[in-house]
């Protein structure tokens, strides 16, 4: 197999941002009289904040308005520096794979991508292509974001590994034609396999060995 590139999801793969965005979402929705709890957000993980916030709002019987997302991102920006966690092996892995073309494909809006990369100390130049939720009308589980990321680095998706932590993201990776890798930071191995993952890893560093295995 000719692996030329890695297409990374961001949240749950490079950084542990879920507790931060959930806290921001809870605070934002409270302004609209919605008492959300952490478990409300789980079904909407990895689908972009319009669905992540909007799904919870609708679950509680409220109409979703874009201002809810804007307020969520505003709060996120206020708390991200203190609370975002970067996975232990993220920087090490990105460095070890720097001989390949790397791209980012996140369902999150670009403002969140920039916040996370800045706090994590990951230069924008690490990626030959950065695709955010602003760049595609259809978010994951549709393959559009991964396909756009592959186009951005001029690599056929069949020669890419696409890695994601969410069920919707693994479905998108599989649908793109890339080798779909699920990482068990958010969902169980069973859930990711059911979503169509070709390989499952528990730590991002395992990606280095997987690339070697698939390239032999």
């Amino acid at each position: 197999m000719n692996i030329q590139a890695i297409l990374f999801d961001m949240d749950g793969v490079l950084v542990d941002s879920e507790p931060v965005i959930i806290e921001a979402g809870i605070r934002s929705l409270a302004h609209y009289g919605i008492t959300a709890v952490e478990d409300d957000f789980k079904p909407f993980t990895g689908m972009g904040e319009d669905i992540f916030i909007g799904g919870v709002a609708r679950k509680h019987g409220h109409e979703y308005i874009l201002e809810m997302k804007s307020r969520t991102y505003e709060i996120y920006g206020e708390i991200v520096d203190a609370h975002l966690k970067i996975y232990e092996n993220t920087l090490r892995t990105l460095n070890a794979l720097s001989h390949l073309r790397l791209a980012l494909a996140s369902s999150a809006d670009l403002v969140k991508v920039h916040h996370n990369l800045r706090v994590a100390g990951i230069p924008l130049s690490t990626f030959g292509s950065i695709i955010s939720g602003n760049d595609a009308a259809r978010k994951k589980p549709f393959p559009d974001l991964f396909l756009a990321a592959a186009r951005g680095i001029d690599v056929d998706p069949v020669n890419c590994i696409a890695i994601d932590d969410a069920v919707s993201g693994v479905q998108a990776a599989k649908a793109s034609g890339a080798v779909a890798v699920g990482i068990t930071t958010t969902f169980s191995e069973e859930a990711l396999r059911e979503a169509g993952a070709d390989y499952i890893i528990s730590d991002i560093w395992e990606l280095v060995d997987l690339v070697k295995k698939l390239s032999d």
Side-chain angles (χ1 to χ4, degrees), residues 3 6 97 100 161 207-215:
I3 299 299
I6 311 292
L97 295 174
L100 299 173
I161 287 174
L207 199 56
V208 177
D209 286 336
L210 180 59
V211 168
K212 292 177 182 176
K213 174 184 175 181
L214 294 179
S215 300

Side-chain angles (χ1 to χ4, degrees), residues 8-9 13 19 39 43 53 103 123 132 159 175 188 190 195-196 200-201 210 215:
F8 290 93
D9 177 46
V13 174
D39 286 348
I53 303 300
S132 73
N159 295 320
S188 68
E190 180 182 8
I200 303 288
I201 62 176
L210 180 59
S215 300

Side-chain angles (χ1 to χ4, degrees), residues 19 30 65 84-85 98 106 125 128 136 141 146 164 204 208 210:
I65 56 175
L84 184 75
K85 295 180 181 179
S98 61
S106 173
S125 59
F146 282 126
D164 210 293
I204 193 171
V208 177
L210 180 59

Side-chain angles (χ1 to χ4, degrees), residues 158-177:
V158 300
N159 295 320
C160 298
I161 287 174
I163 178 171
D164 210 293
D165 66 303
V167 166
S168 59
V170 168
Q171 291 170 333
K174 189 68 175 177
S176 75

Side-chain angles (χ1 to χ4, degrees), residues 128-194:
S129 174
I130 294 178
I131 304 298
S132 73
N134 300 103
D135 298 311
R138 299 193 309 176
K139 311 300 189 291
K140 302 167 186 177
F142 294 100
D144 303 36
L145 290 165
F146 282 126
L147 291 174
R151 283 196 302 271
I153 52 175
D154 196 27
V155 178
D156 191 312
V158 300
N159 295 320
C160 298
I161 287 174
I163 178 171
D164 210 293
D165 66 303
V167 166
S168 59
V170 168
Q171 291 170 333
K174 189 68 175 177
S176 75
V179 176
V181 176
I183 185 167
T184 56
T185 52
T186 306
F187 288 86
S188 68
E189 178 176 347
E190 180 182 8
L192 297 175
R193 287 202 185 280
E194 288 179 357

Side-chain angles (χ1 to χ4, degrees), residues 40-80:
D40 288 337
F41 295 88
K42 187 78 170 182
F44 311 110
T45 299
M47 300 180 182
E49 264 63 67
D50 285 307
I51 295 178
F52 192 72
I53 303 300
V56 175
R58 287 185 283 268
K59 178 180 178 180
H60 285 267
H62 289 253
E63 181 182 353
Y64 171 65
I65 56 175
L66 281 175
E67 184 183 290
M68 293 174 176
K69 181 177 72 170
S70 298
R71 181 175 289 271
T72 298
Y73 280 142
E74 181 180 339
I75 296 169
Y76 189 89
E78 293 170 356
I79 65 176
V80 64

Side-chain angles (χ1 to χ4, degrees), residues 60-122:
H60 285 267
H62 289 253
E63 181 182 353
Y64 171 65
I65 56 175
L66 281 175
E67 184 183 290
M68 293 174 176
K69 181 177 72 170
S70 298
R71 181 175 289 271
T72 298
Y73 280 142
E74 181 180 339
I75 296 169
Y76 189 89
E78 293 170 356
I79 65 176
V80 64
D81 286 76
H83 298 290
L84 184 75
K85 295 180 181 179
I86 181 169
Y87 292 113
E88 180 181 0
N89 287 316
T90 292
L91 296 177
R92 178 186 178 207
T93 301
L94 291 173
N95 183 61
L97 295 174
S98 61
H99 62 289
L100 299 173
R101 298 185 195 183
L102 308 182
L104 191 69
S106 173
S107 292
D109 285 10
L110 191 60
V111 61
K112 186 183 179 192
V113 171
H114 282 173
H115 275 313
N116 287 356
L117 296 183
R118 173 183 59 80
V119 175
I122 301 172

